[in-house]
Amino acid sequence: MRHWVLDVHSCCGAARWVLGLLSWSLLTSTADGWQLLDRNCWPDFSAHYSACCHDEIPPHENCFNAEEGRTWARCCSCPRGLNVSGGEHGVQLDKAGLKLSQQFFGPLLCSGPSLRAHPDDFWVTARDGSRRLLRVFVYPLPRKFNTDLLNRLQLGGWLTGSECDYGLTPCTEAGWNGLFSVFRQFATEVILLLKFLAAPPGVLTSDAAEADIFLVPYLAKTDCAESGNGRDPCWGKCKCATAVKHLFQELPHYSWQTRGRHLFLATGDIKDLPVEIQAQPLIVSLGASFCGGHIVVPSPNLDPDLQPKGALENREAGNRAPERHIFAYWFGSNDKTWRKKVVGQMLQYREEGGLRTIVVHDIGSNYETRDVWQTDAGSPQMVIEEMMRSVFCPILQGDVPHQKRLFDVMLTGCLPVVVAFPSHVPGEVSWWLPGGPPVERMVPFPRDIDYRSFVVEVPQEEVESGRFMEALLKLPEQELKERRSAMLRARPLIRFDFGGSGADAFSMTLREIWRFLEPQQEPQQCSSRGLEMEGASSSFGRWNTPTFDCGVPPIQKTGIQMYGHFACCPLFSKS
């Protein structure tokens, strides 16, 4: 009798193993069961990938049959010795990046990164004023921190009928596909990792002493989604994430001196990430951001029509841009106070015979039955087309300060409209809720993008007085034209360019990272409450040791976390 070894570290791993064994007989009993294995070998949600491809559990004897083309290399990883040049489009890639991309993304990607970074992205200005390449050390983390999470989540997407992948390539789904369609808005961490791996030669290094950045290829938000069994999201400090519990033992260069240069990828809402990740000094997430080192990045827009030289830009270049005959457009749930106020006023205007066209698509959901797309908006493509034909697209109170629709409407040319509330910082404005974070802490790259030059702000009191539509109707056409021009200039900077044709959101992310890293190279004396680190030395060359003050940031008065549960803020005091 064969003995099976369960993953004692993970109840989720054990559960998946049991599920795999239980469903194996069902799979093989069907006449065409094995024919369904053509797509990444596994026809079901994640059971067979977990049972057959686990690092620590021996595979079932029926997992692989070389005669039928099923091997561990094909079903679980990339074939050994696969030679990929990485020289497509005239851009030479680093061999280390090609090898790591196969390790982190196989078998979904075996031919190297599926996108390109712009070569200029990785050039930084050194202390002496010279220009040099950024040096990045990428931890070769085991499969459970990246590959396994991504493959299981991807298999769940295929099971629900999605023809798209999880951020690997531009793709617009033909219809709504359960929670997989929700999860895809958190795929920025996948894109960021692929962009780093697509770096030109000279960026990636295996020598930790040379590193400016220690990149941790743990897909934190993917862990939160997939570890909730891929169907039920795991929010609220991501308590069910499994891989993070074993992460730091895999980071031999992580120390007090280097933690400020360890870059963690966690592109979900900050409060819904594992607390171990929230407490890191250098992290990319969807925000909001309490202090430097926590870098807010956009949600990914994965629609091919909105990529550079895609359908929309081609139409604009040919003076065939869609006519904007919809005055105000809303696609979203209508279950929150300020959404109800604004959407209610839009509908009231329409019901009273207003002359301008108003389009509202409500989204309902039933998470118990996993029916999360109860809407009359027929498809994602339909929503994009309608945004392209709209003048104003409100961005209204969500569960957290971040909203993907802000970036969608910017790319489609629809002017974002927000309610302007007083922030918890005196004299500042929030676009979330009364007492919310200031605008500059909510949005990506606020030092480089002037959001107020194109976002229409309607004061809170105007909405409370029922004058939301009146505020939009009185805006002159010349002002709208100027705002659209300003938004057009910002468009490349909030979009991830899969072809690497120019500066994009990844370029801006690297700029923000370097702004955080650069002061750490200067002579300094750092101190923090209850901690004295003055004169601390570092074993890593040119880098000095910053001190970080980790504390509990303020929450919104309703109890909603704005900045997560921890904030590690750098303290610099130059001698």
Side-chain angles (χ1 to χ4, degrees), residues 255-300:
S255 67
W256 181 264
Q257 288 80 15
T258 64
R259 66 187 185 128
R261 294 188 285 127
H262 274 69
L263 177 62
F264 291 85
L265 308 176
T267 52
D269 305 308
I270 186 66
K271 75 178 185 64
D272 291 333
L273 296 171
V275 292
E276 299 93 329
I277 303 302
Q278 291 186 35
Q280 299 307 314
L282 183 55
I283 174 177
V284 291
S285 86
L286 303 184
S289 169
F290 187 61
C291 56
H294 176 185
I295 297 162
V296 179
V297 293
S299 290

Side-chain angles (χ1 to χ4, degrees), residues 373-388:
W373 294 104
Q374 299 171 355
T375 178
D376 62 349
S379 68
Q381 184 66 44
M382 170 186 165
V383 173
I384 293 173
E385 292 288 341
E386 289 186 334
M387 285 182 179
M388 290 180 186

Side-chain angles (χ1 to χ4, degrees), residues 78-136:
C78 297
R80 293 182 179 178
L82 181 65
N83 186 21
V84 181
S85 67
E88 300 176 20
H89 312 295
V91 179
Q92 188 65 35
L93 303 185
D94 195 305
K95 291 182 179 179
L98 296 172
K99 180 179 178 180
L100 288 170
S101 70
Q102 293 176 344
Q103 176 181 335
F104 298 149
F105 293 95
L108 294 172
L109 286 178
C110 288
S111 59
S114 54
L115 44 70
R116 294 290 177 262
H118 195 272
D120 291 347
D121 291 345
F122 297 94
W123 286 92
V124 296
T125 302
R127 281 181 292 171
D128 59 5
S130 62
R131 294 267 291 169
R132 66 173 178 86
L133 282 172
L134 194 69
R135 300 290 276 163
V136 181

Side-chain angles (χ1 to χ4, degrees), residues 146-199:
N146 36 66
T147 314
D148 291 345
L149 298 171
L150 184 62
N151 274 277
R152 287 195 294 258
L153 191 62
Q154 179 64 70
L155 290 164
W158 286 339
L159 178 69
T160 58
S162 178
E163 69 278 35
C164 294
D165 55 48
Y166 189 68
L168 304 178
T169 58
C171 181
T172 299
E173 293 181 297
W176 311 108
N177 294 285
L179 283 171
F180 187 70
S181 297
V182 178
F183 293 151
R184 290 180 80 227
Q185 70 180 298
F186 302 118
T188 299
E189 61 194 22
V190 170
I191 296 173
L192 290 173
L193 179 53
L194 284 168
K195 284 274 190 178
F196 272 108
L197 298 179

Side-chain angles (χ1 to χ4, degrees), residues 1 22 62 248 255 278 294 303 333 343 347 360 399 407 423 429-430 432-433 436 441 532 552 575:
M1 180 176 179
L22 290 176
N62 291 333
F248 289 90
S255 67
Q278 291 186 35
H294 176 185
D303 302 291
S333 61
V343 174
L347 293 174
V360 172
D399 293 325
F407 313 109
S423 167
V429 171
S430 178
W432 182 41
L433 283 170
R441 300 184 186 180
E532 295 296 329
V552 180
S575 57

Side-chain angles (χ1 to χ4, degrees), residues 125 132 134 510-518 521:
T125 302
R132 66 173 178 86
L134 194 69
L510 284 184
R511 181 181 298 185
E512 289 292 324
I513 291 171
W514 186 247
R515 283 171 174 164
F516 174 73
L517 294 177
E518 193 174 18
Q521 299 184 72

Side-chain angles (χ1 to χ4, degrees), residues 412-561:
T412 57
C414 185
L415 289 174
V417 185
V418 300
V419 181
F421 303 103
S423 167
H424 73 88
V425 178
E428 300 290 335
V429 171
S430 178
W431 291 345
W432 182 41
L433 283 170
V439 172
E440 290 73 20
R441 300 184 186 180
M442 293 174 54
V443 294
F445 325 129
R447 283 185 282 186
D448 299 289
I449 299 176
D450 181 7
Y451 287 88
R452 283 200 164 94
S453 66
F454 54 85
V455 174
V456 177
E457 297 177 292
V458 180
Q460 174 184 342
E461 55 270 21
E462 292 288 290
V463 177
E464 290 177 325
S465 301
R467 296 195 295 268
F468 178 81
M469 288 299 300
E470 180 182 336
L472 301 186
L473 289 164
K474 69 181 182 182
L475 290 173
E477 185 59 38
Q478 180 59 32
E479 179 179 336
L480 300 185
K481 182 178 179 181
E482 292 170 356
R483 288 182 181 273
R484 288 194 197 100
S485 296
M487 188 166 64
L488 185 64
R489 292 191 294 271
R491 184 162 68 183
L493 305 183
I494 54 89
R495 171 179 60 195
F496 290 96
D497 178 356
F498 278 71
S501 60
D504 68 345
F506 179 71
S507 314
M508 305 305 294
T509 302
L510 284 184
R511 181 181 298 185
E512 289 292 324
I513 291 171
W514 186 247
R515 283 171 174 164
F516 174 73
L517 294 177
E518 193 174 18
Q520 298 183 37
Q521 299 184 72
E522 300 294 333
Q524 57 191 287
Q525 291 182 338
C526 308
S527 62
S528 181
R529 290 192 299 269
L531 177 67
E532 295 296 329
M533 290 290 292
E534 296 184 8
S537 62
S538 170
S539 60
F540 287 97
R542 59 183 172 270
W543 292 95
N544 287 281
T545 305
T547 300
F548 298 96
D549 178 22
C550 297
V552 180
I555 62 172
Q556 211 268 345
K557 63 181 179 181
T558 61
I560 300 174
Q561 294 280 349

